[in-house]
Amino acid sequence: MDNSRFADQLRRGCEALGVSVGEDVPERLYRLMGELLKWNAKVNLTAITAPEEVLEKHFLDSLAVLPEVEGATSVLDVGAGAGFPGLPLKMARSGLAVTMVDAVGKKVGYLKAVVTVPGLGLAGTKAVHTRAEGRPEAEGLPRADRVLARAFMDLPDWLDLAPAYLAPGGHVVAMLGKALGEEALRQEAGKRGLELVSARAYRLPFSQAERQVAAFKKRAE
Ligand SMILES: C[S@@+](CC[C@H](N)C(=O)[O-])C[C@H]1O[C@@H](n2cnc3c(N)ncnc32)[C@H](O)[C@@H]1O
């Protein structure tokens, strides 16, 4: 897929998702895809390698959570793997302080390298090699306004772990596959002293795959 077809498809996908990104973001994501596929030939980062799928399943799927991130100044992406959703979010909102953490050293090696590639707009993005177990200070991880993860843990385990990394007033964001009812989300939240802030079900624009994103905050905040 050439650069202009990629950019066109990315724009159409963003429009369908109702998210907006700057004019130069498609071009920078195209270059990020080049880095990802180049590294993936040496280091196992992702099983998704067809450009159409990287565009939708990695890039658009990451950008789809922009509405839940708006207004935040910092994001912690736990179990970031090859940088999803952290890298596309940073590209789309350059003012965001993004920290990505992963337990696998070679993935973090890629993340640390890719954020220094000139022109990608990822400068200042942090990548930390550690196992996130809910002890931010000991793990060298910041507390953040949005603590999010994709394909990392089941919702109950995520809601047990993630609040430890919240800055005051922050939200835990859960990226889910099949949608859960709001009552089920509220129940899981309530068991952990959390409140449901929002829940939004949508489909990815080309494959129509189902997604849901839910945000939670600590009760009485
Ligand atoms: C299925 S991958 C998802 C990667 C990325 N978020 C995505 O959606 O493409 C899960 C990642 O979590 C990492 N991981 C698993 N347990 C972890 C932990 N306790 N702390 C940090 N990373 C962890 C794994 O190394 C892996 O890269």
Side-chain angles (χ1 to χ4, degrees), residues 130-154:
T130 192
R131 177 162 283 279
E133 288 175 339
R135 295 172 300 122
E137 283 79 19
E139 294 156 359
L141 294 174
R143 291 169 197 264
D145 297 332
R146 298 291 181 269
V147 178
L148 43 81
R150 185 184 79 156
F152 175 59
M153 278 179 165
D154 290 344

Side-chain angles (χ1 to χ4, degrees), residues 7-218:
D8 185 54
Q9 209 151 317
L10 195 98
R11 278 192 208 98
R12 283 199 293 124
C14 284
E15 214 176 290
L17 289 169
V19 301
S20 69
V21 299
E23 272 195 8
D24 60 335
V25 170
E27 154 81 27
R28 290 193 277 125
L29 283 169
Y30 186 75
R31 291 175 56 198
L32 176 64
M33 179 171 74
E35 293 293 328
L36 173 69
L37 297 180
K38 185 176 82 187
W39 276 73
N40 205 44
K42 299 175 282 184
V43 179
N44 185 18
L45 294 168
T46 178
I48 295 174
T49 55
E52 290 78 4
E53 288 199 60
V54 174
L55 186 153
E56 183 179 47
K57 297 195 173 144
H58 282 327
F59 296 165
L60 290 173
D61 198 33
S62 297
L63 295 172
V65 299
L66 274 171
E68 281 68 25
V69 168
E70 301 299 2
T73 59
S74 56
V75 160
L76 178 67
D77 178 359
V78 184
F84 305 114
L87 294 178
L89 291 177
K90 174 68 179 175
M91 280 192 174
R93 298 292 180 266
S94 58
L96 213 49
V98 173
T99 303
M100 300 169 292
V101 51
D102 204 280
V104 173
K106 59 187 184 170
K107 295 186 181 178
V108 178
Y110 161 73
L111 294 174
K112 281 182 189 282
V114 83
V115 300
T116 67
V117 173
L120 289 184
L122 293 170
T125 312
K126 293 200 175 67
V128 181
H129 177 206
T130 192
R131 177 162 283 279
E133 288 175 339
R135 295 172 300 122
E137 283 79 19
E139 294 156 359
L141 294 174
R143 291 169 197 264
D145 297 332
R146 298 291 181 269
V147 178
L148 43 81
R150 185 184 79 156
F152 175 59
M153 278 179 165
D154 290 344
L155 182 69
D157 291 337
W158 177 235
L159 293 182
D160 283 338
L161 178 75
Y165 300 96
L166 280 180
H171 295 172
V172 171
V173 178
M175 299 173 71
L176 306 165
K178 268 199 175 338
L180 290 174
E182 287 204 13
E183 200 38 51
L185 294 171
R186 275 205 185 87
Q187 267 181 22
E188 290 299 337
K191 286 181 203 164
R192 296 161 178 89
L194 300 170
E195 258 175 48
L196 181 66
V197 175
S198 61
R200 191 166 60 85
Y202 56 94
R203 287 179 185 271
L204 290 182
F206 306 123
S207 61
Q208 299 300 315
E210 277 185 44
R211 294 288 186 269
Q212 183 182 42
V213 58
F216 305 86
K217 65 177 181 177
K218 288 187 180 165

